[in-house]
Short mmCIF file of all heavy atoms in Angstrom, two decimals:
data_model
loop_
_atom_site.label_atom_id
_atom_site.label_comp_id
_atom_site.label_asym_id
_atom_site.label_seq_id
_atom_site.Cartn_x
_atom_site.Cartn_y
_atom_site.Cartn_z
N ASN Q 28 184.31 34.85 -39.88
CA ASN Q 28 183.20 35.04 -38.96
C ASN Q 28 182.63 36.46 -39.03
O ASN Q 28 183.22 37.37 -39.62
CB ASN Q 28 183.63 34.69 -37.53
CG ASN Q 28 184.78 35.57 -37.04
OD1 ASN Q 28 184.77 36.76 -37.26
ND2 ASN Q 28 185.76 34.94 -36.39
N GLY Q 40 185.02 51.83 -43.39
CA GLY Q 40 184.15 52.98 -43.28
C GLY Q 40 184.87 54.16 -42.67
O GLY Q 40 184.70 55.30 -43.08
N LEU Q 43 186.91 56.39 -44.87
CA LEU Q 43 186.18 57.34 -45.69
C LEU Q 43 185.39 58.35 -44.87
O LEU Q 43 185.29 59.51 -45.25
CB LEU Q 43 185.23 56.58 -46.62
CG LEU Q 43 185.89 55.61 -47.59
CD1 LEU Q 43 184.82 54.82 -48.33
CD2 LEU Q 43 186.79 56.32 -48.57
N SER Q 46 186.06 63.91 -41.09
CA SER Q 46 185.90 65.33 -41.38
C SER Q 46 187.19 66.03 -40.98
O SER Q 46 187.65 65.89 -39.85
CB SER Q 46 184.73 65.90 -40.59
OG SER Q 46 183.51 65.30 -40.99
N ALA Q 55 195.52 81.56 -55.74
CA ALA Q 55 194.35 81.97 -56.50
C ALA Q 55 194.73 82.25 -57.95
O ALA Q 55 193.99 81.94 -58.88
CB ALA Q 55 193.72 83.21 -55.86
N GLY Q 68 201.71 68.03 -43.04
CA GLY Q 68 201.16 68.86 -41.98
C GLY Q 68 200.60 68.07 -40.82
O GLY Q 68 200.56 66.83 -40.84
N VAL Q 74 186.68 61.09 -36.11
CA VAL Q 74 186.66 59.66 -36.42
C VAL Q 74 185.45 59.04 -35.73
O VAL Q 74 185.20 59.32 -34.56
CB VAL Q 74 187.95 58.98 -35.93
CG1 VAL Q 74 187.93 57.49 -36.27
CG2 VAL Q 74 189.17 59.63 -36.55
N PRO Q 75 184.67 58.20 -36.44
CA PRO Q 75 183.52 57.57 -35.78
C PRO Q 75 183.96 56.64 -34.66
O PRO Q 75 184.94 55.90 -34.79
CB PRO Q 75 182.84 56.80 -36.93
CG PRO Q 75 183.90 56.61 -37.95
CD PRO Q 75 184.80 57.81 -37.84
N PHE Q 85 190.68 63.47 -33.09
CA PHE Q 85 192.03 62.91 -32.98
C PHE Q 85 193.03 63.82 -33.67
O PHE Q 85 192.72 64.46 -34.67
CB PHE Q 85 192.11 61.52 -33.62
CG PHE Q 85 191.46 60.43 -32.82
CD1 PHE Q 85 190.13 60.10 -33.04
CD2 PHE Q 85 192.17 59.73 -31.85
CE1 PHE Q 85 189.52 59.09 -32.30
CE2 PHE Q 85 191.57 58.73 -31.11
CZ PHE Q 85 190.24 58.41 -31.34
N GLN Q 105 192.34 70.52 -61.75
CA GLN Q 105 193.28 69.99 -60.77
C GLN Q 105 192.76 68.68 -60.17
O GLN Q 105 191.56 68.40 -60.19
CB GLN Q 105 193.53 70.99 -59.64
CG GLN Q 105 192.37 71.24 -58.71
CD GLN Q 105 191.46 72.37 -59.15
OE1 GLN Q 105 191.82 73.19 -60.01
NE2 GLN Q 105 190.28 72.44 -58.57
N PRO Q 123 190.78 62.26 -51.35
CA PRO Q 123 190.98 62.64 -52.75
C PRO Q 123 190.02 63.75 -53.19
O PRO Q 123 189.00 64.00 -52.55
CB PRO Q 123 190.66 61.35 -53.49
CG PRO Q 123 189.57 60.73 -52.65
CD PRO Q 123 189.83 61.15 -51.21
N LEU Q 127 187.87 72.18 -60.71
CA LEU Q 127 188.25 73.27 -61.60
C LEU Q 127 188.45 74.54 -60.77
O LEU Q 127 187.88 74.68 -59.68
CB LEU Q 127 187.17 73.53 -62.65
CG LEU Q 127 186.88 72.42 -63.66
CD1 LEU Q 127 185.64 72.78 -64.48
CD2 LEU Q 127 188.07 72.18 -64.57
N ARG Q 141 187.10 78.18 -56.77
CA ARG Q 141 187.63 76.83 -56.90
C ARG Q 141 186.52 75.84 -56.55
O ARG Q 141 185.92 75.95 -55.48
CB ARG Q 141 188.83 76.65 -55.98
CG ARG Q 141 189.48 75.27 -55.99
CD ARG Q 141 190.62 75.28 -54.98
NE ARG Q 141 191.19 73.97 -54.76
CZ ARG Q 141 192.24 73.48 -55.41
NH1 ARG Q 141 192.83 74.21 -56.34
NH2 ARG Q 141 192.72 72.28 -55.14
N GLY Q 150 180.52 60.69 -48.06
CA GLY Q 150 179.60 60.80 -49.18
C GLY Q 150 180.18 61.68 -50.26
O GLY Q 150 181.06 62.50 -49.99
N SER Q 154 182.38 70.84 -53.07
CA SER Q 154 183.03 71.79 -52.16
C SER Q 154 183.53 73.02 -52.92
O SER Q 154 184.68 73.06 -53.36
CB SER Q 154 184.21 71.13 -51.44
OG SER Q 154 183.78 70.00 -50.71
N GLY Q 171 187.87 80.56 -48.24
CA GLY Q 171 186.74 80.01 -47.50
C GLY Q 171 186.10 78.92 -48.35
O GLY Q 171 185.95 79.09 -49.56
N ILE Q 173 183.05 75.67 -48.44
CA ILE Q 173 181.90 75.00 -47.84
C ILE Q 173 181.77 73.60 -48.44
O ILE Q 173 181.96 73.41 -49.64
CB ILE Q 173 180.60 75.81 -48.03
CG1 ILE Q 173 179.45 75.14 -47.30
CG2 ILE Q 173 180.29 76.01 -49.51
CD1 ILE Q 173 178.19 75.99 -47.25
N LEU Q 204 206.32 81.79 -49.69
CA LEU Q 204 207.69 82.25 -49.54
C LEU Q 204 208.55 81.57 -50.60
O LEU Q 204 209.12 80.50 -50.34
CB LEU Q 204 208.22 81.96 -48.13
CG LEU Q 204 207.40 82.53 -46.97
CD1 LEU Q 204 207.91 82.00 -45.64
CD2 LEU Q 204 207.43 84.05 -47.00
N PHE Q 220 181.09 69.33 -36.04
CA PHE Q 220 180.26 68.98 -34.90
C PHE Q 220 179.02 69.86 -34.86
O PHE Q 220 179.10 71.07 -35.06
CB PHE Q 220 181.03 69.17 -33.59
CG PHE Q 220 181.75 67.93 -33.12
CD1 PHE Q 220 183.09 67.98 -32.80
CD2 PHE Q 220 181.09 66.73 -33.00
CE1 PHE Q 220 183.76 66.85 -32.36
CE2 PHE Q 220 181.74 65.59 -32.55
CZ PHE Q 220 183.09 65.66 -32.23
N THR Q 230 193.91 72.28 -39.42
CA THR Q 230 195.08 71.72 -40.09
C THR Q 230 196.12 72.82 -40.27
O THR Q 230 195.77 73.96 -40.58
CB THR Q 230 194.72 71.14 -41.47
OG1 THR Q 230 193.77 70.08 -41.31
CG2 THR Q 230 195.95 70.58 -42.18
N ALA Q 231 197.39 72.48 -40.09
CA ALA Q 231 198.49 73.38 -40.39
C ALA Q 231 199.58 72.58 -41.07
O ALA Q 231 199.82 71.41 -40.72
CB ALA Q 231 199.03 74.04 -39.12
N TYR Q 235 205.57 72.57 -50.74
CA TYR Q 235 206.64 72.96 -51.64
C TYR Q 235 206.15 72.85 -53.08
O TYR Q 235 205.54 71.83 -53.46
CB TYR Q 235 207.87 72.06 -51.44
CG TYR Q 235 209.07 72.48 -52.26
CD1 TYR Q 235 209.84 73.55 -51.87
CD2 TYR Q 235 209.40 71.79 -53.43
CE1 TYR Q 235 210.95 73.94 -52.60
CE2 TYR Q 235 210.50 72.18 -54.18
CZ TYR Q 235 211.26 73.26 -53.77
OH TYR Q 235 212.36 73.65 -54.51
#
Side-chain angles (χ1 to χ4, degrees):
N28 60 44
L43 300 174
S46 297
V74 181
F85 286 92
Q105 70 270 345
L127 296 171
R141 179 182 172 93
S154 302
I173 185 171
L204 304 172
F220 268 128
T230 299
Y235 186 77

